[in-house]
Amino acid sequence: MRVGCILIVTASAWAFASGLARGEEPPMIGLAGGYSTRFEKPTIAVELLAPVAPSLHANLSLEYLEAGRVRHITTSLDIQYRIRIRRRLLGWGGVGFGIRTDDPLGPRESTTRDFQADALVGLGWEMPLMPTLQVRVAGGKATFLAGFRVIL
């Protein structure tokens, strides 16, 4: 599982650095809250987006929720393709992979980690503090997120 974590961190660092080196659009950071249909609980998420090519972004995200005395943390790396739908309305879709960590509260239970593929679609209104709506699907279950992104 450490190899998976190292792969996500290395790929994210490469994407972030390569976008900055080419002088393309600046990276963005996002914060969102939402609802997980897998656990039927609210969730929070933070994401870092870095351009890797025109209209293409690497998205490193971290989602957290607690359900039934278990902390669920999902770290994922997605590649997103972004398009302009209207003058200021942006849409994106992407695919990637992640690691879901299930960490029971208490010393007796063991922590588990699983790889998962995911897909996502989203909309955002382009402005300095961009409001966003996004749906991420992994393992046949969806997470609905509403939040904001800001340019770094």
PDB file of all heavy atoms in Angstrom, residues 1-15 60 75-77 97-99 101 113 115:
ATOM      1  N   MET A   1       0.824  -1.192   0.000  1.00  0.00           N
ATOM      2  CA  MET A   1       0.000   0.000   0.000  1.00  0.00           C
ATOM      3  C   MET A   1       0.868   1.256   0.000  1.00  0.00           C
ATOM      4  O   MET A   1       0.460   2.276  -0.494  1.00  0.00           O
ATOM      5  CB  MET A   1      -0.928  -0.028   1.212  1.00  0.00           C
ATOM      6  CG  MET A   1      -2.135   0.834   1.065  1.00  0.00           C
ATOM      7  SD  MET A   1      -3.109   0.630  -0.436  1.00  0.00           S
ATOM      8  CE  MET A   1      -3.488  -1.092  -0.432  1.00  0.00           C
ATOM      9  N   ARG A   2       2.066   1.157   0.566  1.00  0.00           N
ATOM     10  CA  ARG A   2       2.966   2.303   0.560  1.00  0.00           C
ATOM     11  C   ARG A   2       3.345   2.682  -0.858  1.00  0.00           C
ATOM     12  O   ARG A   2       3.516   3.850  -1.159  1.00  0.00           O
ATOM     13  CB  ARG A   2       4.221   2.007   1.370  1.00  0.00           C
ATOM     14  CG  ARG A   2       3.957   1.933   2.842  1.00  0.00           C
ATOM     15  CD  ARG A   2       5.212   1.547   3.576  1.00  0.00           C
ATOM     16  NE  ARG A   2       4.854   1.090   4.895  1.00  0.00           N
ATOM     17  CZ  ARG A   2       5.270   1.667   6.000  1.00  0.00           C
ATOM     18  NH1 ARG A   2       6.056   2.704   5.926  1.00  0.00           N
ATOM     19  NH2 ARG A   2       4.906   1.207   7.158  1.00  0.00           N
ATOM     20  N   VAL A   3       3.459   1.682  -1.734  1.00  0.00           N
ATOM     21  CA  VAL A   3       3.783   1.957  -3.128  1.00  0.00           C
ATOM     22  C   VAL A   3       2.694   2.809  -3.761  1.00  0.00           C
ATOM     23  O   VAL A   3       2.976   3.754  -4.490  1.00  0.00           O
ATOM     24  CB  VAL A   3       3.978   0.637  -3.916  1.00  0.00           C
ATOM     25  CG1 VAL A   3       4.141   0.901  -5.389  1.00  0.00           C
ATOM     26  CG2 VAL A   3       5.164  -0.131  -3.363  1.00  0.00           C
ATOM     27  N   GLY A   4       1.433   2.512  -3.461  1.00  0.00           N
ATOM     28  CA  GLY A   4       0.326   3.305  -3.989  1.00  0.00           C
ATOM     29  C   GLY A   4       0.372   4.741  -3.506  1.00  0.00           C
ATOM     30  O   GLY A   4       0.167   5.680  -4.272  1.00  0.00           O
ATOM     31  N   CYS A   5       0.662   4.931  -2.215  1.00  0.00           N
ATOM     32  CA  CYS A   5       0.771   6.290  -1.665  1.00  0.00           C
ATOM     33  C   CYS A   5       1.921   7.037  -2.308  1.00  0.00           C
ATOM     34  O   CYS A   5       1.795   8.212  -2.670  1.00  0.00           O
ATOM     35  CB  CYS A   5       0.965   6.235  -0.151  1.00  0.00           C
ATOM     36  SG  CYS A   5      -0.472   5.646   0.747  1.00  0.00           S
ATOM     37  N   ILE A   6       3.061   6.369  -2.467  1.00  0.00           N
ATOM     38  CA  ILE A   6       4.220   6.997  -3.100  1.00  0.00           C
ATOM     39  C   ILE A   6       3.897   7.364  -4.540  1.00  0.00           C
ATOM     40  O   ILE A   6       4.256   8.441  -5.013  1.00  0.00           O
ATOM     41  CB  ILE A   6       5.452   6.072  -3.013  1.00  0.00           C
ATOM     42  CG1 ILE A   6       5.906   5.979  -1.556  1.00  0.00           C
ATOM     43  CG2 ILE A   6       6.577   6.558  -3.909  1.00  0.00           C
ATOM     44  CD1 ILE A   6       6.931   4.900  -1.290  1.00  0.00           C
ATOM     45  N   LEU A   7       3.189   6.491  -5.248  1.00  0.00           N
ATOM     46  CA  LEU A   7       2.811   6.768  -6.629  1.00  0.00           C
ATOM     47  C   LEU A   7       1.905   7.995  -6.728  1.00  0.00           C
ATOM     48  O   LEU A   7       2.114   8.864  -7.581  1.00  0.00           O
ATOM     49  CB  LEU A   7       2.107   5.540  -7.224  1.00  0.00           C
ATOM     50  CG  LEU A   7       1.644   5.663  -8.662  1.00  0.00           C
ATOM     51  CD1 LEU A   7       2.835   5.842  -9.588  1.00  0.00           C
ATOM     52  CD2 LEU A   7       0.862   4.425  -9.061  1.00  0.00           C
ATOM     53  N   ILE A   8       0.907   8.109  -5.866  1.00  0.00           N
ATOM     54  CA  ILE A   8       0.003   9.260  -5.886  1.00  0.00           C
ATOM     55  C   ILE A   8       0.759  10.547  -5.584  1.00  0.00           C
ATOM     56  O   ILE A   8       0.608  11.548  -6.280  1.00  0.00           O
ATOM     57  CB  ILE A   8      -1.169   9.054  -4.903  1.00  0.00           C
ATOM     58  CG1 ILE A   8      -2.134   8.011  -5.464  1.00  0.00           C
ATOM     59  CG2 ILE A   8      -1.910  10.364  -4.647  1.00  0.00           C
ATOM     60  CD1 ILE A   8      -3.265   7.653  -4.528  1.00  0.00           C
ATOM     61  N   VAL A   9       1.609  10.539  -4.566  1.00  0.00           N
ATOM     62  CA  VAL A   9       2.354  11.744  -4.207  1.00  0.00           C
ATOM     63  C   VAL A   9       3.340  12.135  -5.313  1.00  0.00           C
ATOM     64  O   VAL A   9       3.449  13.305  -5.688  1.00  0.00           O
ATOM     65  CB  VAL A   9       3.085  11.547  -2.855  1.00  0.00           C
ATOM     66  CG1 VAL A   9       4.073  12.658  -2.584  1.00  0.00           C
ATOM     67  CG2 VAL A   9       2.067  11.448  -1.732  1.00  0.00           C
ATOM     68  N   THR A  10       4.055  11.169  -5.879  1.00  0.00           N
ATOM     69  CA  THR A  10       5.026  11.454  -6.938  1.00  0.00           C
ATOM     70  C   THR A  10       4.347  11.998  -8.187  1.00  0.00           C
ATOM     71  O   THR A  10       4.791  12.991  -8.759  1.00  0.00           O
ATOM     72  CB  THR A  10       5.819  10.172  -7.283  1.00  0.00           C
ATOM     73  OG1 THR A  10       6.446   9.702  -6.103  1.00  0.00           O
ATOM     74  CG2 THR A  10       6.861  10.449  -8.349  1.00  0.00           C
ATOM     75  N   ALA A  11       3.265  11.368  -8.606  1.00  0.00           N
ATOM     76  CA  ALA A  11       2.551  11.835  -9.796  1.00  0.00           C
ATOM     77  C   ALA A  11       1.973  13.225  -9.577  1.00  0.00           C
ATOM     78  O   ALA A  11       1.996  14.069 -10.478  1.00  0.00           O
ATOM     79  CB  ALA A  11       1.441  10.846 -10.166  1.00  0.00           C
ATOM     80  N   SER A  12       1.475  13.493  -8.389  1.00  0.00           N
ATOM     81  CA  SER A  12       0.918  14.811  -8.082  1.00  0.00           C
ATOM     82  C   SER A  12       2.003  15.881  -8.100  1.00  0.00           C
ATOM     83  O   SER A  12       1.814  16.965  -8.643  1.00  0.00           O
ATOM     84  CB  SER A  12       0.234  14.800  -6.716  1.00  0.00           C
ATOM     85  OG  SER A  12      -0.803  13.877  -6.705  1.00  0.00           O
ATOM     86  N   ALA A  13       3.149  15.585  -7.487  1.00  0.00           N
ATOM     87  CA  ALA A  13       4.260  16.544  -7.475  1.00  0.00           C
ATOM     88  C   ALA A  13       4.742  16.824  -8.893  1.00  0.00           C
ATOM     89  O   ALA A  13       5.022  17.975  -9.256  1.00  0.00           O
ATOM     90  CB  ALA A  13       5.402  16.010  -6.614  1.00  0.00           C
ATOM     91  N   TRP A  14       4.827  15.779  -9.725  1.00  0.00           N
ATOM     92  CA  TRP A  14       5.247  15.962 -11.111  1.00  0.00           C
ATOM     93  C   TRP A  14       4.256  16.857 -11.859  1.00  0.00           C
ATOM     94  O   TRP A  14       4.643  17.784 -12.570  1.00  0.00           O
ATOM     95  CB  TRP A  14       5.353  14.613 -11.813  1.00  0.00           C
ATOM     96  CG  TRP A  14       5.520  14.760 -13.284  1.00  0.00           C
ATOM     97  CD1 TRP A  14       6.652  15.050 -13.970  1.00  0.00           C
ATOM     98  CD2 TRP A  14       4.474  14.682 -14.260  1.00  0.00           C
ATOM     99  NE1 TRP A  14       6.378  15.153 -15.305  1.00  0.00           N
ATOM    100  CE2 TRP A  14       5.056  14.929 -15.514  1.00  0.00           C
ATOM    101  CE3 TRP A  14       3.102  14.426 -14.174  1.00  0.00           C
ATOM    102  CZ2 TRP A  14       4.295  14.920 -16.687  1.00  0.00           C
ATOM    103  CZ3 TRP A  14       2.363  14.420 -15.344  1.00  0.00           C
ATOM    104  CH2 TRP A  14       2.962  14.659 -16.576  1.00  0.00           C
ATOM    105  N   ALA A  15       2.974  16.588 -11.722  1.00  0.00           N
ATOM    106  CA  ALA A  15       1.957  17.376 -12.417  1.00  0.00           C
ATOM    107  C   ALA A  15       1.992  18.831 -11.972  1.00  0.00           C
ATOM    108  O   ALA A  15       1.930  19.747 -12.795  1.00  0.00           O
ATOM    109  CB  ALA A  15       0.568  16.789 -12.167  1.00  0.00           C
ATOM    110  N   LEU A  60      -5.417  16.251  -7.259  1.00  0.00           N
ATOM    111  CA  LEU A  60      -5.139  15.467  -6.059  1.00  0.00           C
ATOM    112  C   LEU A  60      -6.203  15.831  -5.033  1.00  0.00           C
ATOM    113  O   LEU A  60      -6.370  17.011  -4.708  1.00  0.00           O
ATOM    114  CB  LEU A  60      -3.751  15.791  -5.511  1.00  0.00           C
ATOM    115  CG  LEU A  60      -3.376  15.093  -4.207  1.00  0.00           C
ATOM    116  CD1 LEU A  60      -3.290  13.583  -4.413  1.00  0.00           C
ATOM    117  CD2 LEU A  60      -2.066  15.632  -3.672  1.00  0.00           C
ATOM    118  N   THR A  75      -7.840   9.200  -0.636  1.00  0.00           N
ATOM    119  CA  THR A  75      -6.893  10.046  -1.362  1.00  0.00           C
ATOM    120  C   THR A  75      -6.928   9.583  -2.807  1.00  0.00           C
ATOM    121  O   THR A  75      -6.803   8.383  -3.071  1.00  0.00           O
ATOM    122  CB  THR A  75      -5.473   9.866  -0.799  1.00  0.00           C
ATOM    123  OG1 THR A  75      -5.504  10.134   0.591  1.00  0.00           O
ATOM    124  CG2 THR A  75      -4.499  10.796  -1.472  1.00  0.00           C
ATOM    125  N   SER A  76      -7.093  10.520  -3.739  1.00  0.00           N
ATOM    126  CA  SER A  76      -7.148  10.104  -5.136  1.00  0.00           C
ATOM    127  C   SER A  76      -6.430  11.094  -6.036  1.00  0.00           C
ATOM    128  O   SER A  76      -6.259  12.268  -5.701  1.00  0.00           O
ATOM    129  CB  SER A  76      -8.589   9.911  -5.600  1.00  0.00           C
ATOM    130  OG  SER A  76      -9.319  11.093  -5.467  1.00  0.00           O
ATOM    131  N   LEU A  77      -6.007  10.589  -7.182  1.00  0.00           N
ATOM    132  CA  LEU A  77      -5.379  11.393  -8.226  1.00  0.00           C
ATOM    133  C   LEU A  77      -6.164  11.166  -9.502  1.00  0.00           C
ATOM    134  O   LEU A  77      -6.294  10.030  -9.959  1.00  0.00           O
ATOM    135  CB  LEU A  77      -3.913  10.985  -8.417  1.00  0.00           C
ATOM    136  CG  LEU A  77      -3.177  11.705  -9.546  1.00  0.00           C
ATOM    137  CD1 LEU A  77      -3.093  13.201  -9.262  1.00  0.00           C
ATOM    138  CD2 LEU A  77      -1.788  11.124  -9.728  1.00  0.00           C
ATOM    139  N   PHE A  97      -7.521   7.156  -9.980  1.00  0.00           N
ATOM    140  CA  PHE A  97      -7.473   6.067  -9.013  1.00  0.00           C
ATOM    141  C   PHE A  97      -7.196   6.646  -7.637  1.00  0.00           C
ATOM    142  O   PHE A  97      -6.753   7.783  -7.511  1.00  0.00           O
ATOM    143  CB  PHE A  97      -6.404   5.035  -9.387  1.00  0.00           C
ATOM    144  CG  PHE A  97      -5.013   5.598  -9.376  1.00  0.00           C
ATOM    145  CD1 PHE A  97      -4.224   5.485  -8.245  1.00  0.00           C
ATOM    146  CD2 PHE A  97      -4.497   6.238 -10.489  1.00  0.00           C
ATOM    147  CE1 PHE A  97      -2.936   6.007  -8.224  1.00  0.00           C
ATOM    148  CE2 PHE A  97      -3.220   6.763 -10.477  1.00  0.00           C
ATOM    149  CZ  PHE A  97      -2.433   6.648  -9.341  1.00  0.00           C
ATOM    150  N   GLY A  98      -7.486   5.862  -6.632  1.00  0.00           N
ATOM    151  CA  GLY A  98      -7.264   6.342  -5.282  1.00  0.00           C
ATOM    152  C   GLY A  98      -7.090   5.207  -4.299  1.00  0.00           C
ATOM    153  O   GLY A  98      -7.169   4.030  -4.653  1.00  0.00           O
ATOM    154  N   ILE A  99      -6.850   5.602  -3.062  1.00  0.00           N
ATOM    155  CA  ILE A  99      -6.714   4.650  -1.961  1.00  0.00           C
ATOM    156  C   ILE A  99      -7.709   5.047  -0.885  1.00  0.00           C
ATOM    157  O   ILE A  99      -7.693   6.185  -0.412  1.00  0.00           O
ATOM    158  CB  ILE A  99      -5.288   4.670  -1.381  1.00  0.00           C
ATOM    159  CG1 ILE A  99      -4.284   4.266  -2.454  1.00  0.00           C
ATOM    160  CG2 ILE A  99      -5.197   3.741  -0.169  1.00  0.00           C
ATOM    161  CD1 ILE A  99      -2.845   4.459  -2.054  1.00  0.00           C
ATOM    162  N   THR A 101      -8.886   4.461   2.834  1.00  0.00           N
ATOM    163  CA  THR A 101      -8.425   3.942   4.120  1.00  0.00           C
ATOM    164  C   THR A 101      -9.600   3.923   5.082  1.00  0.00           C
ATOM    165  O   THR A 101     -10.247   4.942   5.277  1.00  0.00           O
ATOM    166  CB  THR A 101      -7.288   4.832   4.685  1.00  0.00           C
ATOM    167  OG1 THR A 101      -6.230   4.882   3.741  1.00  0.00           O
ATOM    168  CG2 THR A 101      -6.789   4.291   6.010  1.00  0.00           C
ATOM    169  N   ARG A 113      -6.798  -0.723   3.752  1.00  0.00           N
ATOM    170  CA  ARG A 113      -6.620   0.187   2.618  1.00  0.00           C
ATOM    171  C   ARG A 113      -6.965  -0.571   1.340  1.00  0.00           C
ATOM    172  O   ARG A 113      -6.518  -1.706   1.160  1.00  0.00           O
ATOM    173  CB  ARG A 113      -5.189   0.696   2.568  1.00  0.00           C
ATOM    174  CG  ARG A 113      -4.858   1.612   3.710  1.00  0.00           C
ATOM    175  CD  ARG A 113      -3.408   2.080   3.658  1.00  0.00           C
ATOM    176  NE  ARG A 113      -3.126   2.933   4.792  1.00  0.00           N
ATOM    177  CZ  ARG A 113      -2.760   2.496   5.997  1.00  0.00           C
ATOM    178  NH1 ARG A 113      -2.643   1.218   6.215  1.00  0.00           N
ATOM    179  NH2 ARG A 113      -2.513   3.344   6.971  1.00  0.00           N
ATOM    180  N   PHE A 115      -7.358  -0.088  -3.050  1.00  0.00           N
ATOM    181  CA  PHE A 115      -7.273   0.703  -4.266  1.00  0.00           C
ATOM    182  C   PHE A 115      -8.654   0.783  -4.893  1.00  0.00           C
ATOM    183  O   PHE A 115      -9.443  -0.152  -4.784  1.00  0.00           O
ATOM    184  CB  PHE A 115      -6.317   0.051  -5.283  1.00  0.00           C
ATOM    185  CG  PHE A 115      -4.882   0.342  -5.016  1.00  0.00           C
ATOM    186  CD1 PHE A 115      -4.066  -0.628  -4.496  1.00  0.00           C
ATOM    187  CD2 PHE A 115      -4.343   1.587  -5.310  1.00  0.00           C
ATOM    188  CE1 PHE A 115      -2.729  -0.378  -4.252  1.00  0.00           C
ATOM    189  CE2 PHE A 115      -3.019   1.853  -5.069  1.00  0.00           C
ATOM    190  CZ  PHE A 115      -2.196   0.866  -4.537  1.00  0.00           C
TER     191      PHE A 115
END
